[in-house]
Amino acid sequence: MSHLRVEAEGLEKAAASERVQYYAPLVSSGPVSAGRRLLDVGCGNGYSIPEWRRLGFGVVGVDLDLYRLSRWVEEHPAGTPLVLADAGHLPFRRGAFHCVVSSGMIEHVGVAESPNPYKIRALPGRDESRFRVVRELLSVAAPDGQVLVDCPNGMFPVDFWHGDRVGAFRLHSIPDVLLPSFQDFLAWGRNGGFSVSLVPVGRRLRFRQVGRHWWGRLFTAPMRAFLSVLDWLVSCGVTVLPGRLSPFLVVRLGKAAMDPRDAAPPAVA
Ligand SMILES: C[S@@+](CC[C@H](N)C(=O)[O-])C[C@H]1O[C@@H](n2cnc3c(N)ncnc32)[C@H](O)[C@@H]1O
């Protein structure tokens, strides 16, 4: 296994428990009832799965990559297998899950990525593929279910999550080839007739990768303060500034019709 892969998997494992702690209160209010079903789509090596189970969720992990499945089987010889499937064509009954979460996956849909140097190319139909995925996540969620999707924000000009090295960063144009923006989610919601809202991100970000650099440690405190202001705006129902300025997005999708205030801006391609 390459050094980068070992390092990236180490980080993924370390972040899994924090990610679950962040999402757990969002997907359940009060104690989790037995049989509450959660789907983690694009779950990577499935490190979040035991964490969700520990909290009482009946969890299924899905990933498209055979390598990820092999890592899961290697590390959990007696466990339930992870399901190998494409997020755009999920092999589950409609409405089967109370909660669906997808972390750091949507940006990898509809693009081709290559290493050394890290390059991204949009594949034909990228936006349609992403729209299909978010609709599919919603369709396997129960009518009153929760769907939460996160990714770095395409409107923020620096991407701290993708590159040839762990801890590298990438400056990109706006719009970005790789990262969707909140406007993209709003456009998908308008086209699909589902609601789209932002969730405060402050507690989701740990600055683990940039914290490896002196400049990253320097910028952590001001960034945390900045994120608390954005989170406060989100909690007041203001999404325009956080949607544009936050480095990372956590988006809640709902089957209910969209809020007309969100439906007002013109569609973004
Ligand atoms: C950056 S990893 C994120 C892993 C994990 N969710 C986390 O947050 O640590 C993205 C994962 O999404 C998976 N993925 C990408 N496109 C997918 C698709 N269309 N369907 C299912 N999984 C996909 C990749 O194989 C990869 O494991």
Side-chain angles (χ1 to χ4, degrees), residues 8 11-13 15-16 19 40-48 62-66 68 83-90 101-110 113 133 150 161-162 204:
L11 267 180
E12 189 176 309
K13 193 170 195 168
R19 184 159 67 85
D40 187 340
V41 183
C43 67
N45 291 9
Y47 297 126
S48 67
V62 171
D63 204 280
L64 181 61
D65 189 349
L66 197 53
R68 300 295 203 158
V83 175
L84 193 67
D86 183 346
H89 304 271
L90 292 169
V101 294
S102 180
S103 276
M105 183 203 70
I106 191 73
E107 67 267 36
H108 298 288
V109 173
E113 294 163 84
V133 165
D150 72 36
W161 288 267
H162 301 96
R204 173 81 179 83

Side-chain angles (χ1 to χ4, degrees), residues 17-182:
S17 143
E18 290 159 5
R19 184 159 67 85
V20 170
Q21 278 166 32
Y22 168 81
Y23 274 115
L26 297 176
V27 298
S28 57
S29 46
V32 177
S33 53
R36 199 159 171 83
R37 285 167 58 80
L38 182 140
L39 187 68
D40 187 340
V41 183
C43 67
N45 291 9
Y47 297 126
S48 67
I49 293 173
E51 305 287 338
W52 283 116
R53 287 213 181 117
R54 238 190 301 285
L55 294 180
F57 287 89
V59 59
V60 179
V62 171
D63 204 280
L64 181 61
D65 189 349
L66 197 53
Y67 167 80
R68 300 295 203 158
L69 176 65
S70 73
R71 293 288 290 139
W72 167 261
V73 172
E74 200 176 302
E75 293 185 353
H76 303 85
T80 312
L82 192 141
V83 175
L84 193 67
D86 183 346
H89 304 271
L90 292 169
F92 303 106
R93 205 165 31 80
R94 310 294 88 179
F97 294 91
H98 299 103
C99 340
V100 179
V101 294
S102 180
S103 276
M105 183 203 70
I106 191 73
E107 67 267 36
H108 298 288
V109 173
V111 291
E113 294 163 84
S114 55
N116 301 316
Y118 179 67
K119 283 202 180 122
I120 315 134
R121 180 169 57 84
L123 297 172
R126 178 199 63 180
D127 294 347
E128 291 75 15
S129 307
R130 292 178 174 183
F131 176 52
R132 182 181 173 85
V133 165
V134 291
R135 266 201 333 203
E136 190 69 355
L137 301 182
L138 275 157
S139 75
V140 295
D144 58 346
Q146 298 270 359
V147 178
L148 289 150
V149 178
D150 72 36
C151 60
N153 185 2
M155 291 296 276
F156 191 84
V158 193
D159 172 4
F160 297 102
W161 288 267
H162 301 96
D164 274 326
R165 276 175 299 109
V166 169
F169 63 90
R170 185 179 68 91
L171 300 175
H172 61 82
S173 56
I174 295 173
D176 186 27
V177 178
L178 181 73
L179 304 174
S181 66
F182 185 54

